Amino acid sequence: MPPAGQCLLWLGLVLASVCASLESAAPSNSTTGPLNVLLIIVDDLRPSLGCYGDKAIRSPNIDQLASRSLLFQNAFAQQAVCAPSRVSFLTGRRPDTTRLYDFNSYWRIHAGNFSTIPQYFKENGYVTMSVGKVFHPGISSNYSDDSPYSWSFPPYHPSSEKYENTKTCRGPDGQLHANLLCPVDVADVPEGTLPDKQSTEQAIRLLEKMKTSASPFFLAVGYHKPHIPFRYPKEFQKLYPLENITLAPDPQVPAGLPPVAYNPWMDIRQREDVQALNLSVPYGPIPVDFQRKIRQSYFASVSYLDTQVGHLLSALDDLQLTNSTIIAFASDHGWALGEHGEWAKYSNFDVATRVPLMFYVPGRTAPLPEAGEELFPYIDPFDSVLELMEPGRRVMDLVELLSLSPTLAGLAGLHVPPRCPVPSFHVQLCREGQNLGKHFQLQDLGEDPHLRVSRQQRFLVEE
């Protein structure tokens, strides 16, 4: 990771490049022009959210987004591993096609020169930008987040990422450790910030620059939390007192489970505080008091994430971009918190593969905002009384993250790529997922004069 000075230089160069390309452009943020896209990707987030019925979780800003969105109740990842899942939904191809089941290959070399969602938008006149963890870093995205194919500018990574797995967690002994449970005083950590805070700030800066763009934008923002370690501002623990934390309702390893179907969560075992428990491998149970602490920290990380999403969406409001921007929110896969004796992803259990998935489409999933109206005002999760917000509309059908690619294309008014032939290794642009556009039809909202269908949404229900 480059030092902070180089990061600031990078930021200045990128923003200068954006400004130079846009300074003579006339604004184009009306509902009659192309719609922008804000894609929010979260790491290891299961549907532990208020909008998915988990009333113990304080996620008011994501719930507010859900109240303006179409929410898919039963959405599933193709594989419960970061790199295969992200490559799959960003290319619209299954892991069997990308030939990636782990972290160790780049699909353009080992499978085929497949287009990605941002690449397709870029080739259709969009300015495409990546902030945070969108592609999985490393060889699976050619050590470049698939640049320059997918992005108009070099992707941004927070400078504080490099501290995530270092000794920054203060233990009961007062010393710093590389722990699983890592509530921190933000002022005391290196650089005085955290990666997701930096990503939010950078995304808002880019939105400010794109406000006056004549070209539509595709901005992908990838948040790290609640990925381990659970490193988050310590005040979020107060939202989840340990005495209120319940345990997983099904904590036993299923009888007769084949060993190949179980993951011994070695990445958690490598953390210093978990090593100190001296657990047996592979099924050794975690002490009940530590189970509660893990669940507490996961939920606190979700609420911390929620504040970052809230600040990002509030900025979209302030910049008057909510009437011209599609918002898609998804996770790469879920995470087990003691269910079936698991404390990881890497399995095919529901808790590891089921993900939140929702789409806000201006004038379609919610009325267009009036002048000065805020659709996404920031909500403080520490407010003593939070309004219960239900999703705008739920879809109960079983759907796949694979559908993200054709659905975003259709919602933005681009031609939906054709279905892939079998085999499709030789085809650069096609998709293996279903376009979910049929679920956005307006039969139940058609009489609202504020709901409009523009010409760029004409491919919405194309299969």
Side-chain angles (χ1 to χ4, degrees), residues 14-219:
V14 169
L15 293 182
S17 178
V18 173
C19 290
S21 63
L22 302 179
E23 62 181 359
S24 61
S28 179
N29 290 313
S30 72
T31 57
T32 58
L35 291 173
N36 307 308
V37 176
L38 172 60
L39 172 60
I40 302 173
I41 300 171
V42 185
D43 207 342
D44 293 6
L45 177 64
R46 60 197 243 160
S48 290
L49 298 165
C51 54
Y52 277 89
D54 193 332
K55 304 308 179 186
I57 306 302
R58 288 194 165 230
S59 53
N61 294 287
I62 297 173
D63 297 345
Q64 181 171 240
L65 172 62
S67 74
R68 308 284 190 181
S69 299
L70 185 63
L71 180 146
F72 289 87
Q73 188 73 25
N74 293 294
F76 288 82
Q78 267 47 59
Q79 187 178 341
V81 183
C82 292
S85 176
R86 289 166 185 263
V87 168
S88 176
F89 68 70
L90 288 167
T91 62
R93 317 272 186 130
R94 300 186 185 281
D96 284 344
T97 303
T98 64
R99 293 175 172 169
L100 181 66
Y101 306 101
D102 47 34
F103 303 89
N104 301 320
S105 67
Y106 180 43
W107 79 92
R108 292 188 190 270
I109 294 174
H110 292 277
N113 189 28
F114 309 143
S115 292
T116 67
I117 303 176
Q119 179 182 355
Y120 184 55
F121 275 81
K122 180 182 175 185
E123 291 169 349
N124 280 274
Y126 279 69
V127 176
T128 58
M129 300 165 287
S130 173
V131 171
K133 185 178 178 182
V134 178
F135 281 99
H136 193 278
I139 191 173
S140 63
S141 58
N142 202 33
Y143 300 101
S144 66
D145 298 293
D146 195 46
S147 292
Y149 298 101
S150 290
W151 310 110
S152 302
F153 306 102
Y156 169 86
H157 285 276
S159 59
S160 62
E161 272 183 349
K162 59 182 174 289
Y163 304 110
E164 277 293 277
N165 296 301
T166 60
K167 294 179 182 290
T168 56
C169 316
R170 196 166 298 281
D173 58 1
Q175 302 301 309
L176 294 178
H177 300 273
N179 285 344
L180 172 67
L181 310 181
C182 192
V184 298
D185 184 337
V186 176
D188 290 342
V189 299
E191 299 187 32
T193 188
L194 294 172
D196 287 344
K197 291 172 64 68
Q198 287 186 290
S199 289
T200 299
E201 292 162 359
Q202 170 65 4
I204 292 172
R205 282 191 288 264
L206 292 175
L207 288 174
E208 290 169 346
K209 296 302 179 183
M210 295 306 298
K211 164 70 175 173
T212 56
S213 173
S215 300
F217 65 80
F218 181 106
L219 173 60

Side-chain angles (χ1 to χ4, degrees), residues 338-355:
E339 295 86 0
H340 315 297
E342 285 275 20
W343 295 90
K345 42 199 170 189
Y346 309 123
S347 78
N348 286 331
F349 286 120
D350 181 281
V351 290
T353 55
R354 183 167 168 248
V355 296

